[in-house]
Amino acid sequence: MNDKWKAIWNRRKPARGKLSGDWQEVFLELKRLNGYDVMGDGISLDAFLEQDAQTRELLQVSAGSSVFEVGCGTGANIYLMARSGMTIGGTDYAEGLIETARKVLPSPTELYSGEADTIATEQKYDAVFSNGVFPYFPDEEYAARVLTRMLEKSRGPIGVMGLHDIEKRADYLAFRRANIPNYDELYKDLDRHFYEHSFFEDFAAAHNLRIVFPEMLLEGYWNTPFIFNCFMYRK
């Protein structure tokens, strides 16, 4: 993984007092630290909760289920799931973000820092997912190793959200350059990986999985037009 990206994420720290208020305030601070404060006017709590509800439906989980997140960052997503009675676990390559997650997640089964392609698979969960992390992977070989680990760790579905669509790469770059002065200089050596749908279709076929690409709108999120989501199910 790119060490420059890791350094950026490790520098993100919670604002004073933001992790001790109402759960809504805590959750929004966790999301901010995970990068949802970069552009625009921000995303509302209702929009995040709508996405959370759809994620649970697609992962086929509810109270009493167990869920593991690859690239959990500060644990915002599994924070909501834990509040509703799920058993949770997570990992992220930025130790600084995991330190924040440890402050707010009650008794996670697993919570540790490490590379996504080396996650331990002994502990199984009803579902395993990742949100907004795959674009930071260096290449598809790495991504394939992560998918394999996710499948081994899950007894049921796996979900990958926030994938940058290679067909929309030009539009994404044009948007960023139009909205961020000196974008190319600022993001030099901070590449993002763009994916074809066929990469995931090939993985699903090789592992006898049913695959869907559901539309998951997150109102107010500038990145939505440029990404897609993928969920896979055992037949």
Side-chain angles (χ1 to χ4, degrees):
M1 295 285 285
N2 189 311
D3 287 339
K4 291 187 177 181
W5 274 122
K6 183 185 290 187
I8 289 171
W9 291 116
N10 274 324
R11 288 198 296 267
R12 298 181 72 88
K13 304 297 180 183
R16 181 176 297 179
K18 287 291 188 177
L19 299 183
S20 58
D22 294 337
W23 71 265
Q24 297 95 329
E25 182 176 305
V26 172
F27 170 72
L28 290 174
E29 177 65 1
L30 296 177
K31 277 292 188 180
R32 183 189 71 80
L33 293 170
N34 279 351
Y36 287 89
D37 63 332
V38 176
M39 297 178 65
D41 298 326
I43 304 167
S44 70
L45 176 63
D46 286 344
F48 279 127
L49 295 180
E50 182 178 25
Q51 184 189 57
D52 170 68
Q54 188 179 19
T55 302
R56 298 182 192 203
E57 181 178 357
L58 287 164
L59 290 175
Q60 301 175 348
V61 295
S62 57
S65 299
S66 58
V67 186
F68 186 89
E69 183 176 9
V70 177
C72 66
T74 59
N77 298 315
I78 50 179
Y79 173 77
L80 286 185
M81 293 176 176
R83 279 185 51 83
S84 65
M86 297 187 202
T87 300
I88 54 93
T91 184
D92 196 276
Y93 80 145
E95 176 61 34
L97 297 182
I98 289 294
E99 288 178 1
T100 297
R102 291 190 181 111
K103 296 176 181 178
V104 297
L105 294 177
S107 305
T109 302
E110 300 174 280
L111 188 61
Y112 59 90
S113 177
E115 287 287 338
D117 68 337
T118 61
I119 60 172
T121 59
E122 292 79 10
Q123 180 70 43
K124 308 298 182 184
Y125 293 78
D126 294 326
V128 175
F129 75 107
S130 180
N131 186 3
V133 175
F134 272 59
Y136 295 99
F137 294 166
D139 50 45
E140 290 185 354
E141 289 185 4
Y142 187 102
R145 293 197 299 272
V146 177
L147 286 173
T148 299
R149 293 271 181 167
M150 292 174 68
L151 187 60
E152 291 175 358
K153 197 169 185 63
S154 175
R155 290 186 288 261
I158 61 173
V160 186
M161 300 157 59
L163 294 157
H164 276 99
D165 192 336
I166 198 167
E167 293 184 0
K168 299 177 180 178
R169 184 176 186 274
D171 292 338
Y172 170 88
L173 292 174
F175 178 87
R176 296 289 270 172
R177 288 167 178 154
N179 286 275
I180 301 178
N182 302 318
Y183 171 80
D184 291 293
E185 181 63 26
L186 288 172
Y187 284 83
K188 183 180 180 181
D189 300 325
L190 291 173
D191 294 333
R192 296 205 175 196
H193 192 75
F194 290 73
Y195 292 89
E196 296 181 356
H197 285 63
S198 61
F199 168 72
F200 297 93
E201 290 169 338
D202 290 345
F203 180 88
H207 293 84
N208 194 32
L209 303 172
R210 178 174 65 88
I211 186 170
V212 297
F213 297 100
E215 184 178 15
M216 297 183 68
L217 297 178
L218 182 57
E219 185 177 353
Y221 186 32
W222 66 270
N223 209 13
T224 297
F226 313 112
I227 59 178
F228 68 97
N229 307 284
C230 172
F231 285 74
M232 303 183 206
Y233 304 88
R234 288 174 167 82
K235 295 180 180 178

